[in-house]
Amino acid sequence: MQSIELHSTPFTEKVKAFYELLKFRLSFLVAFSCGFGYLLGNQGRIDWVHFSWLVFGGFLISGTSIVINQIIEKDLDKLMKRTENRPLPTGRLSSNEAIQYALLIGALGFGILIWQTNLLTVLLSFLSMVLYSFVYTPLKRVGPIAVFVGAIPGALPPLLGWVAATGSISHEALIIFGIQFIWQFPHFWAIAWVADEDYKRAGFKLLPGGGKQDLNTAINIMIYTLFLLPLGLLPTYFGLVGITSGVVATVCGALFLSQTFSLMKDYSRKSALKIMFGSFIYLPIVQIAYLLDKV
């Protein structure tokens, strides 16, 4: 019994390290948004096999971008408490292993999309990976412009799903892209506020304005959260979904917005945490509501 355990430990630890490198939950959320766009854009009977391949391919490409990000930031991750235990900073995986892993899952992901979707979906997926891995990642040490750049690949998954289902970019596709694009700002800035001390150690500059935990930053978070209220009603206005989901989006947007007032009042980490968790809840609830209320 003991010899089997000793023999299996290095392998299981390696598998665990590759799993951590992929950031399963984050990659799953990206795949979820991609699937949301597909289901919302699909007309007629849903091809669930096609849908499954799309979601799996999106999951792998998201994972590829995340792995590349960690390869580039390996030395910076050592400086931050929230990232110091990742597989690369701890040496559980080497950079070469991570590169080979990224190439493998990236090739598989793009292969699936080439096989199952269309050229526009593949090109947009490639653009998303390049922007996230090679533009957003180095810009994090330059200034808050990184948040704007990072919001583009962050908002592309539902657009990719729509394009995979329809083969084109319509105004409806741009609406669901826009909602997720604007959502990125309070989401990113709340995380940057909570992790401010860690980010400073790595030289990351993501907070807007002067980069401080002050009223100016809190107002910026509030303004972008406020934008979600009218944006959340656009799918209803254009007849993509019914009135029920418009009400759900408005209620969720109002609750999300209310969380920003506490931050404007006390500038506390606790208030920023509430906004961060609120952002995690807002998006899937609204997207599920749209799907259930699709016209």
Side-chain angles (χ1 to χ4, degrees), residues 183-201:
W183 169 85
Q184 301 280 325
F185 290 88
H187 173 70
F188 267 122
W189 286 333
I191 293 173
W193 188 302
V194 170
D196 185 58
E197 188 177 328
D198 251 0
Y199 278 5
K200 283 178 179 175
R201 290 193 189 101

Side-chain angles (χ1 to χ4, degrees), residues 218 221-222 225 256-265 275:
I221 293 174
M222 182 274 292
T225 307
F256 191 14
L257 178 65
S258 69
Q259 295 176 319
T260 67
F261 298 140
S262 295
L263 187 65
M264 292 170 63
K265 181 180 179 181
I275 296 172

Side-chain angles (χ1 to χ4, degrees), residues 110-128:
F110 279 110
I112 288 170
L113 293 190
I114 291 169
W115 170 42
Q116 284 289 322
T117 65
N118 49 63
L119 180 60
L120 184 55
T121 303
V122 175
L123 290 176
L124 287 173
S125 299
F126 182 74
L127 174 65
S128 178

Side-chain angles (χ1 to χ4, degrees), residues 239-254:
L240 184 60
V241 297
I243 189 67
T244 303
S245 57
V247 172
V248 171
T250 300
V251 171
C252 288

Side-chain angles (χ1 to χ4, degrees), residues 155 158-159 162-163 166 168-178 240:
L159 178 63
W162 183 284
V163 171
T166 66
S168 63
I169 300 176
S170 63
H171 67 276
E172 296 98 337
L174 293 176
I175 287 170
I176 60 175
F177 169 84
L240 184 60

Side-chain angles (χ1 to χ4, degrees), residues 31-287:
F32 174 86
S33 287
C34 191
F36 155 73
Y38 179 90
L39 294 175
L40 200 64
N42 185 78
Q43 300 297 324
R45 188 172 181 177
I46 298 170
D47 184 341
W48 290 106
V49 174
H50 184 230
F51 169 82
S52 300
W53 279 118
L54 169 69
V55 170
F56 184 48
F59 174 87
L60 291 174
I61 292 171
S62 172
T64 302
S65 301
I66 290 167
V67 172
I68 294 171
N69 171 270
Q70 291 178 80
I71 293 169
I72 294 172
E73 294 185 344
K74 179 186 70 171
D75 293 330
L76 298 177
D77 282 346
K78 293 177 182 178
L79 305 175
M80 297 185 288
K81 290 180 180 179
R82 62 190 290 270
T83 57
E84 63 185 4
N85 292 319
R86 286 177 175 175
L88 291 175
T90 56
R92 286 179 290 145
L93 291 176
S94 68
S95 294
N96 284 338
E97 286 175 318
I99 291 170
Q100 291 169 11
Y101 185 49
L103 289 172
L104 175 63
I105 62 175
L108 184 58
F110 279 110
I112 288 170
L113 293 190
I114 291 169
W115 170 42
Q116 284 289 322
T117 65
N118 49 63
L119 180 60
L120 184 55
T121 303
V122 175
L123 290 176
L124 287 173
S125 299
F126 182 74
L127 174 65
S128 178
M129 186 187 73
V130 170
L131 282 176
Y132 182 85
S133 302
F134 302 109
V135 183
Y136 161 70
T137 295
L139 279 178
K140 286 161 72 175
R141 303 188 78 197
V142 174
I145 185 64
V147 176
F148 175 82
V149 174
I152 299 172
L156 277 174
L159 178 63
L160 290 171
W162 183 284
V163 171
T166 66
S168 63
I169 300 176
S170 63
H171 67 276
E172 296 98 337
L174 293 176
I175 287 170
I176 60 175
F177 169 84
I179 292 171
Q180 193 150 319
F181 177 78
I182 293 299
W183 169 85
Q184 301 280 325
F185 290 88
H187 173 70
F188 267 122
W189 286 333
I191 293 173
W193 188 302
V194 170
D196 185 58
E197 188 177 328
D198 251 0
Y199 278 5
K200 283 178 179 175
R201 290 193 189 101
F204 292 161
K205 304 170 184 177
L206 297 181
L207 291 176
K212 297 179 181 179
Q213 296 171 310
D214 58 9
L215 181 60
N216 177 59
T217 296
I219 289 175
N220 272 279
I221 293 174
M222 182 274 292
I223 290 172
Y224 278 87
T225 307
L226 182 63
F227 286 154
L228 288 173
L229 286 172
L231 279 172
L233 286 171
L234 287 181
T236 298
Y237 177 80
F238 284 99
L240 184 60
V241 297
I243 189 67
T244 303
S245 57
V247 172
V248 171
T250 300
V251 171
C252 288
L255 291 173
F256 191 14
L257 178 65
S258 69
Q259 295 176 319
T260 67
F261 298 140
S262 295
L263 187 65
M264 292 170 63
K265 181 180 179 181
D266 59 24
Y267 316 143
S268 70
R269 186 176 187 273
K270 182 179 179 181
S271 293
L273 267 172
K274 288 181 179 178
I275 296 172
M276 186 182 78
F277 287 121
S279 70
F280 283 127
I281 295 170
Y282 170 86
L283 195 63
I285 288 179
V286 170
Q287 289 181 340

